[in-house]
Amino acid sequence: MLETFKLRKFTPDDLQSVMQINRVCLPENYTDYFFMDLYERFPETFIVAEENGKIAGYIMCRVEVGLSNHGLGGLIRKGHVVSIAVMPQSRRKGVAQALINAALEGMRHYKAKLCYLEVRVTNDVGIALYKKLGFEVTRTLDGYYSDGENAYVMTKKL
Ligand code: ACO
Ligand code: ZN
């Protein structure tokens, strides 16, 4: 596909644009401190997509340490996609797919062994996107969202 967008790492100048996209696209919104904290700690996995010089989408992530879930114990690093969104007029052009693939590379840089995220059980588009990229549903979290909706945890090995 002809790519009309360009990926690059988030910089502090992008903060207002990214917060605006987050407000337009998702009910889960955060303080400027929250965005900047993720940028300062995990700059390799905070990526934006630019279309005609304007930011059209973002992904931001965190790397956590947790149990491997493979029975043998041991702690591993896990990349956690905290939030991803693409503006409505820029959708269905592969922007989200490219953002996730770039974030997965950033997670490998931080030596994460798997990637996971939560998604609303009714978010068919999100679920289809993650399945296309090889994520599988591994758990359901009852009442995860503030409005009471359940979340699927979806996971992909890195
Ligand atoms: N219907 C069905 N499948 C879809 C759709 C759709 N409308 N959109 C994307 N997909 C699936 C398809 O498999 C698609 O591949 P294809 O086009 O080759 O068929 C694949 O996802 C990749 O699509 P992209 O074009 O990369 O996705 P896009 O850039 O449009 O962004 C996103 C997808 C981020 C989910 C966008 O729709 C959005 O911002 N939605 C609102 C916010 C949101 O739901 N974010 C995720 C919440 S969960 C979290 O943040 C951890
Ligand atoms: Zn999460």
Side-chain angles (χ1 to χ4, degrees):
M1 191 206 286
L2 176 67
E3 292 193 350
T4 58
F5 59 89
K6 164 176 150 238
L7 299 190
R8 61 171 176 79
K9 282 182 208 160
F10 172 91
T11 74
D13 285 344
D14 303 322
L15 180 63
Q16 292 311 323
S17 306
V18 166
M19 288 182 77
Q20 173 66 10
I21 295 170
N22 170 250
R23 281 191 294 266
V24 169
C25 298
L26 282 165
E28 289 72 43
N29 307 130
Y30 315 95
T31 61
D32 48 4
Y33 173 81
F34 183 86
F35 287 89
M36 289 305 292
D37 182 58
L38 287 178
Y39 160 66
E40 279 160 17
R41 291 161 66 204
F42 308 109
E44 301 291 331
T45 51
F46 198 155
I47 320 261
V48 297
E50 264 184 1
E51 204 174 34
N52 307 315
K54 276 193 69 181
I55 298 180
Y58 71 88
I59 187 168
M60 62 177 182
C61 312
R62 170 156 74 211
V63 179
E64 301 162 358
V65 177
L67 288 171
S68 71
N69 294 335
H70 291 295
L72 296 170
L75 295 173
I76 58 162
R77 287 185 219 234
K78 302 179 183 188
H80 177 173
V81 179
V82 174
S83 184
I84 175 171
V86 173
M87 285 297 270
Q89 63 270 23
S90 298
R91 288 182 189 165
R92 217 63 203 264
K93 297 177 185 174
V95 173
Q97 203 171 302
L99 285 168
I100 294 172
N101 282 326
L104 295 175
E105 270 316 300
M107 289 173 188
R108 290 185 185 101
H109 167 92
Y110 293 125
K111 302 194 176 359
K113 300 300 179 212
L114 63 82
C115 172
Y116 80 97
L117 54 84
E118 300 92 10
V119 60
R120 286 177 182 266
V121 297
T122 56
N123 188 346
D124 295 332
V125 169
I127 293 165
L129 164 71
Y130 303 132
K131 284 197 168 149
K132 184 176 184 194
L133 290 169
F135 286 78
E136 290 177 310
V137 174
T138 45
R139 282 178 75 189
T140 302
L141 303 175
D142 287 329
Y144 177 78
Y145 294 98
S146 58
D147 59 6
E149 188 168 343
N150 296 347
Y152 289 134
V153 176
M154 295 187 72
T155 306
K156 178 185 164 71
K157 282 191 188 135
L158 295 179

